[in-house]
């Protein structure tokens, strides 16, 4: 099993912690789903460590914490936020998010590579939120990233895997790199789809937090991720154009 | 006769005092900040009595208990019963559909109906109208409660409550976290603007993927814009981003808001328990009433009734989660 900077995930479901109706529901969503990783945003809640009560609640979930740089638009902001995250959560992990476009929240991959290099040099273990572009992926690996997090679709859009072909290509191109589909998941079938492609984990937030029943949806996502992972390990059949009966028809008459 | 000492003269404390007095109890109030004012977070509230809208993202008690609020307040302060209008920009119509699935008590309205309700709203093709909702001016409401209590002989002490008080009811909001350790602060930011060019007669909510933004008319061209919801306990300043988001929401409702004067900027922390629902706890000789979160005016009447039930009749409403008297 692949590790994330030496850490084995107890569960390939990563959940964000924003937008839940209440912290109590957030906690139940984690407990019910068994999600292995919690991502936390520092940019908004940040100022002067003021998110303390909320952050200590996240720590009490007892899951791995992946702080993120959500909402950062420049290398400088992202690096500063990463420093703060390391102090607050005492972890070298950082999900590096550099927003290039305010409407689509599409990553700015040029700044992403630069920030990844700076943070890796400073000893961070970077989880870059990127597009499905293979060359960008190569650059991120060259910058020192040992995990890649391509998007499925724009953040919060719930559209699933927009470019399955490219995500397959990425899996084939980097068989040994832990890959996470991050963003765009709306339904459990999307999460299962990512795992069926051989992805190592799925990260999502809005699909659970903004569901009518976030706890039930978290559980559905956990089941889907597990199903997709099992299916991938079970070596699924290849699709084909013609029917292939599962019981032989020729010779049936002999047995009747 | 027992004298009940209410600690804190925000919306929780004043509502509790008012309910106790209405049931014939004797009450005194302690607050080092004096009469209602900017030192309490309820001063900065929107004053919407909108249980159906809030139910979209809150648990069932908010709807059921919140429905009692309108009549309770109307007996004490002017309440405007004009409903609430919820609209979304065309790109955010999925959010409007989601909103309508998650609650009840509304009618779907089209462009012409929106124009009929609020002629100054332009460019919204669909909306939801919650006819039974209402709003009040929170500052006037606090002052009206205060005056009513004074006129009924309630003594207000402008100082901290003595430490050993019998029959105390602690309504200090976030200050009570020295005892209530599961209380947290949720930052809210709001603006008060004046824009006589725009006439809105009821609260209007603009759906937004990240936060619920609303404009509440306060009369004479004055509007309250609210409110951010941030898991932070820094109440020092508004951020530029929050200000941009609040103002652009107003601008999206009517570009004439671009000419508004900014009268006030409010920042404070809402006291909240982990499930964002209020609680009543009796610990020793003190009853704690707290955690109104973003539902100060909506749930204070139910909280006050729950406290009076416990204090005067020793009956436990659903908000009582601990009783170690």
């Amino acid at each position: 099993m692949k590790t994330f900077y030496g850490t084995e995930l107890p569960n390939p479901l990563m959940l964000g912690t924003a937008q839940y109706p209440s912290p109590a529901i957030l906690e139940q969503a984690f407990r019910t789903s068994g999600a292995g990783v919690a991502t936390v945003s520092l940019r908004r809640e940040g100022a002067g460590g003021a998110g303390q009560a909320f952050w200590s609640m996240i720590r009490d979930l007892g899951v791995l914490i992946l702080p993120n740089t959500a909402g950062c638009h420049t290398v400088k902001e992202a690096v500063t936020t990463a420093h703060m995250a390391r102090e607050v959560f005492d972890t070298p992990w950082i999900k590096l998010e550099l927003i290039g476009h305010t409407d689509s929240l599409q990553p700015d991959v040029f700044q992403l590579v630069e920030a990844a290099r700076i943070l890796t040099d400073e000893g961070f273990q970077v989880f870059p939120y990127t597009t499905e572009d293979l060359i960008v992926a190569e650059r991120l690996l060259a910058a020192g990233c040992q995990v890649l997090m391509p998007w499925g679709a724009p953040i919060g859009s719930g559209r699933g895997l927009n470019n399955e072909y490219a995500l397959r290509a990425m899996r084939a191109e980097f068989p040994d790199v832990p890959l996470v589909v991050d963003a765009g998941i709306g339904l459990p079938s999307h999460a299962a789809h990512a795992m069926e492609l051989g992805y190592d984990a799925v990260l999502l937030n809005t699909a659970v937090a903004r569901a009518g029943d976030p706890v039930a949806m978290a559980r559905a996502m956990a089941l889907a991720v597990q199903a997709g992972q099992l299916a991938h390990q079970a070596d699924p059949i290849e699709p084909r154009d013609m029917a292939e009966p599962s019981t032989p028809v020729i010779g049936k008459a002999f047995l009747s | 006769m027992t004298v009940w000492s209410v600690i804190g003269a925000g919306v929780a404390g004043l509502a509790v005092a008012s309910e106790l007095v209405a049931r014939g109890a004797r009450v005194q109030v302690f607050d080092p900040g004096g009469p209602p004012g900017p030192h309490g977070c309820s001063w900065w509230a929107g004053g919407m009595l909108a249980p159906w809208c809030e139910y979209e993202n809150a648990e069932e008690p908010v709807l059921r208990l919140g429905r009692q609020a309108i009549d309770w307040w109307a007996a004490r302060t002017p309440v405007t019963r004009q409903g609430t209008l919820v609209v979304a920009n065309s790109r955010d119509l999925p959010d409007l559909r989601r909103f309508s699935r998650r609650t009840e008590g509304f009618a779907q309205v089209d462009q012409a109906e929106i124009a009929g309700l609020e002629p100054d709203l332009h460019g919204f093709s669909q909306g939801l109208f919650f006819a039974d909702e209402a709003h009040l001016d929170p500052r006037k409401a606090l002052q009206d409660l205060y005056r009513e209590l004074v006129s009924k002989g309630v003594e207000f002490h402008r100082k901290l409550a003595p430490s050993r008080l019998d029959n105390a009811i602690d309504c200090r909001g976030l200050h009570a976290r020295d005892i209530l350790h599961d209380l947290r602060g949720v930052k809210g930011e709001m603006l008060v603007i004046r824009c006589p060019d725009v006439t809105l007669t009821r609260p209007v909510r603009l759906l937004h993927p990240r936060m619920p933004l609303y404009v509440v008319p306060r009369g004479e061209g004055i509007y309250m814009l609210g409110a951010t919801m941030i898991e932070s306990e820094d109440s020092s300043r508004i951020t530029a981003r929050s200000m941009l988001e609040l103002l652009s929401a107003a601008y999206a409702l009517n570009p004439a808001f671009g000419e508004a004067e900014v009268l006030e900027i409010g920042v404070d922390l809402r006291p909240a328990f982990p499930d964002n629902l209020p609680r009543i706890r009796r610990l020793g000789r003190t009853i704690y009433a707290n955690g109104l979160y973003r539902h100060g005016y909506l749930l204070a009447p139910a909280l006050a009734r729950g406290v009076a039930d416990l204090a005067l009749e020793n009956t436990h409403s659903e908000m009582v989660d601990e009783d170690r008297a």
Side-chain angles (χ1 to χ4, degrees), chain A residues 41-53 55 80-81 84-85 87-88, chain B residues 187 189 230-240 242 267 269:
Chain A
S41 152
L42 277 96
R43 188 89 188 114
R44 267 237 88 189
E45 280 80 23
Q52 230 173 5
W55 291 338
T80 310
T81 306
M84 204 169 87
E87 261 175 53
V88 171
Chain B
K187 184 179 184 180
E189 298 151 307
I230 304 174
E231 289 288 350
S232 165
E233 299 187 330
D234 168 30
S235 62
S236 52
R237 299 276 188 277
I238 193 170
T239 61
S242 296
V267 183
L269 302 177

Side-chain angles (χ1 to χ4, degrees), chain B residues 84-101:
Chain B
T84 306
L85 187 57
V86 179
V87 294
N89 286 314
S90 51
R91 55 179 280 173
D92 295 329
L93 287 179
D95 291 309
L96 194 70
R97 288 195 289 275
R98 194 203 63 235
F99 197 101
S100 68
R101 280 203 309 274

Side-chain angles (χ1 to χ4, degrees), chain B residues 11-12 15 41-42 45-49 69 73 270-271 291-303:
Chain B
V11 69
C41 70
S42 41
M48 289 182 297
L49 303 174
W73 282 110
R270 310 169 177 94
L292 286 170
Y293 181 52
R294 58 178 273 133
H295 302 126
Y297 291 82
L298 187 62
L299 295 184
L303 184 76

Side-chain angles (χ1 to χ4, degrees), chain B residues 223-288:
Chain B
Y223 296 92
M224 181 268 185
L225 306 182
T228 57
M229 304 266 290
I230 304 174
E231 289 288 350
S232 165
E233 299 187 330
D234 168 30
S235 62
S236 52
R237 299 276 188 277
I238 193 170
T239 61
R241 171 177 159 167
S242 296
M243 185 114 102
L244 278 168
E245 287 186 342
L246 292 171
L247 289 172
S248 50
Y251 190 80
L253 292 177
N254 188 327
F257 273 123
E259 300 304 318
E261 295 167 73
V262 178
L263 302 181
E264 283 183 54
I265 299 169
V267 183
D268 217 327
L269 302 177
R270 310 169 177 94
F273 288 109
D275 59 3
N276 293 343
L277 292 172
R279 296 268 194 293
I280 297 166
R281 285 181 186 158
R282 183 156 59 182
L283 306 171
R285 288 175 297 184
T286 304
I287 294 173
Y288 292 85

